[in-house]
Amino acid sequence: MIPFKVTDGIDCFRAIDWDRELFDELVPLPEGTTYNAYLVTGSDKTALIDTVYPPKTDEFIAALRRAGVRRIDYIVANHAEQDHSGSIPAVLELFPDARVVTNAKCKRFIMDTLPVARDAFITVGEGHSLPLGGRTLQFLMTPWVHWPDTMTTCVPEAKIAFTCDFLGAHLATTEAFADDEARVETAAKRYYAEIMMPYRGFSREAVDKVGALDLDFIAPSHGPVYARPSFILDLYRAWTADEPKPYVVIPYVSMYESTARMVAYLTDRLIERGLGVRPINVVGLDTGDYAMSLVDASTIVFASPTVLSGPHPDVAYAALLANVLNPKAKYAAVVGSFGWEGNLPEIVRDMLPKLGARFFEPVMVKGLPREAAFADLDRLADDIAAAHAAG
Ligand code: FEO
């Protein structure tokens, strides 16, 4: 771990996790990730903002020693998830007089999960500040980006905001700053879709709050530092906006070609009507790729054969994810096939109570789709196009 200077008096200790493939045993990490801790050095006090993932603790402590860090007065915990808080006990062992600075919720979570004593904490709230000498820590509560405990710490003198998970990206890189904006945008969008989209309204509020600050840097605890804050703030403004794009996502599975033929036919009809379409075969689904496709989609069409009277389990999983990821889609539909029984459309629809979408008439065929089924798909494409035209 080689620390780098962000700006005067602020250094980043970044643990790069090149090999991690899955976060929380759920989220794929095609480009690995980083865990960033920041050292803020004032003339009187020194603060550490966040720590690192427990398996990286030894590396982190060795880097602090190697850098000659002699004192840490405050360990600011912006968020209790252990990829940021997990090394707090080891830092306290090295600097026993340090106090853990965080909000009441985060304190509770840390005490629930880590061996940190109650009297080790200083509890802060919205707008509170701590002087370091020439540098001031200011705290903004930004809940639900990612957990209810999340907060942002700013140093106004350095025009920097430490946003922890918020605005971050799972991207293992040696680049200190987000200079390769195209690459960072893709990683940040994947991260937003997986982690932040379920709390989209809170992300929008946090963007407003952080966006109102006079900033030269945004320093998240995953991925590179933004030396052009408007880059990531503008992306978040677009992703969190309520208005979707004319874009249809079709998560599908096909066992004997019936559903695949319906998906291919519907895709062409939607393209003819001027809509963007993304069919996604959800067998072996990359959940991050799927989540990204949902960020701007206006319509989701679930397409499945009937399996044991209901949707194929992989389509059911795609529906479950769409329900919890809280995309901005306004419209939905179910298409598929069956052999002898089943009420697939109702089952899928019942799996999506939080989506809040208007459902179009489903299209179900017995066996292979024929003329009547294709006519129904024409009608569905017309319905989707008309809904878009009407706004
Ligand atoms: Fe990167 Fe919610 O932890």
Side-chain angles (χ1 to χ4, degrees), residues 32-34 165 167-172 184 187-189 191 220-224 226:
T33 192
T34 70
D165 278 345
L167 310 175
H170 283 314
L171 183 61
V184 175
K189 185 173 185 180
Y191 184 88
S221 294
H222 295 294
Y226 302 99

Side-chain angles (χ1 to χ4, degrees), residues 23 79 81-84 146-147 150 164-165 170 191 195 221-222:
F23 198 93
H79 172 33
E81 194 166 7
Q82 291 192 25
D83 52 323
H84 309 294
H146 163 217
W147 286 0
T150 44
C164 198
D165 278 345
H170 283 314
Y191 184 88
I195 311 292
S221 294
H222 295 294

